[in-house]
Amino acid sequence: MIELITTVESFEQAEELLAAGVDTLYFGEELFGLRLPASFTRDEQRRLVELAHAHGKKANIAVNGIIHPEKMKQVPEYLRFLKEINVDVITVGDTGIIYTMKKNPELRIPYIYDAETLVTSARQINFWAKKGAAGAVLAREVPFDEMKEMEEKLTIPVEVLVYGATCIHQSKRPLLQNYYNFTKQEEQKDRERGLFISEPKKEDTHYSIYEDLHGTHIFASNDLDLSKELGELYAHNYRTWKLDGLFTPGKNFVEIVKLFVEAREQLNAGTWNEEAATERSAKISALHPKNRELDTGFFYIDPASIK
């Protein structure tokens, strides 16, 4: 079975995504979740879980921030709330949260392990499987050749990003605010500002950057589109697909999701072909934000070339 997981920016979009055929809605609040298209109130989170369940689908809430001591004190109360609203699964990156659930059985919720760039081997994923993880989020930097080697060793499902932005750096420091203070400027530093940085003497680089409660986030120049590679992922049993709409707002994200739903239907029916995949990729490019580019990320990179 192929599972399609998508981010959510509004209640209205959630309804459209579920109607389109999405299996799992991924959302949360900024205090605990990283790089979300929207931060939902507790009441909104409750309503979104109820909406997903009304459609026979699942809700996955992001609790994948780096939880420092002062914030860790708030984690038990949040886990208690998530238990109360019957969330299906949470995505966790900080081992302190896993320890909290282990120490307090009444707070335990099935979890997906997500330590970002650290999740690069079957051995590590299986380690967390033994600690209770129901799945893991594979690092975006793992080439497909390495994924094929991992395939037979994995004991739990692995989530793969098939569309969306790739974060390449996060710092707890308010780097943008520090820069503005130094240059005596007053500017927006949130995602809506649309800021980017470039490497010296490399004008073609445009790393999106913004700041929030978790610090500063920097993204790869190009967003990811693996729509033409879905057949290979399917053949090697990577069938948990994540679509991230962080930089693709509104209806366009829903339309892109629909194209991946079509691909899933073709793969399940055995009618997948390269011609349809190429056509679908062109449609995704047309719907993608005009100021952002797409590529296949690390998918085709030779593992030996990664340092």
Side-chain angles (χ1 to χ4, degrees), residues 73-89:
K73 296 175 184 177
Q74 303 176 63
V75 166
E77 183 273 333
Y78 189 49
L79 293 175
R80 197 168 287 111
F81 164 75
L82 296 181
K83 287 278 287 187
E84 177 194 333
I85 64 174
N86 295 315
V87 67
D88 299 279
V89 66

Side-chain angles (χ1 to χ4, degrees), residues 125-275:
I125 292 169
N126 292 341
F127 171 85
W128 286 106
K130 292 176 182 177
K131 298 296 181 181
V137 179
L138 189 66
R140 317 311 189 199
E141 295 80 6
V142 179
F144 190 56
D145 282 346
E146 288 191 356
M147 292 172 64
K148 287 187 286 188
E149 292 181 6
M150 293 167 59
E151 176 190 356
E152 297 299 326
K153 302 172 185 176
L154 293 169
T155 59
I156 53 176
V158 170
E159 176 191 299
V160 178
L161 183 70
V162 294
Y163 172 82
T166 299
C167 182
I168 58 175
H169 178 78
Q170 179 191 347
S171 172
K172 187 186 178 186
R173 296 179 177 86
L175 302 181
L176 283 171
Q177 188 60 59
N178 290 345
Y179 171 76
Y180 290 144
N181 291 343
F182 181 76
T183 57
K184 296 180 172 59
Q185 297 183 71
E186 290 188 11
E187 282 277 1
Q188 278 182 258
K189 53 187 184 295
D190 55 16
R191 177 166 49 92
E192 286 68 27
R193 178 65 177 82
L195 294 170
F196 68 88
I197 55 176
S198 296
E199 291 186 42
K201 300 180 181 180
K202 291 185 179 181
E203 295 183 358
D204 59 329
T205 56
H206 46 93
Y207 305 121
S208 293
I209 180 171
Y210 71 85
E211 197 175 297
D212 63 10
L213 291 177
H214 297 278
T216 307
H217 310 268
I218 303 175
F219 297 80
S221 287
N222 296 340
D223 295 338
L224 192 67
D225 173 22
L226 295 183
S227 58
K228 292 200 290 186
E229 287 68 37
L230 298 179
E232 294 176 87
L233 290 172
Y234 182 86
H236 288 276
N237 295 304
Y238 288 96
R239 301 178 183 181
T240 303
W241 301 343
K242 170 80 170 292
L243 289 89
D244 192 324
L246 183 66
F247 289 108
T248 309
K251 296 281 188 181
N252 279 20
F253 181 61
V254 176
E255 293 304 314
I256 288 172
V257 169
K258 288 179 180 178
L259 292 168
F260 280 86
V261 172
E262 289 177 7
R264 176 179 63 184
E265 291 172 351
Q266 286 187 321
L267 285 162
N268 286 337
T271 59
W272 172 268
N273 61 71
E274 292 300 322
E275 182 180 353

Side-chain angles (χ1 to χ4, degrees), residues 13-25:
Q13 189 189 59
E15 291 181 312
E16 293 176 351
L17 290 167
L18 290 167
V22 165
D23 301 295
T24 303
L25 297 180

Side-chain angles (χ1 to χ4, degrees), residues 43-54:
D43 182 59
E44 289 169 335
Q45 290 174 64
R46 183 190 302 273
R47 289 176 61 211
L48 283 168
V49 171
E50 291 172 350
L51 178 66
H53 290 170

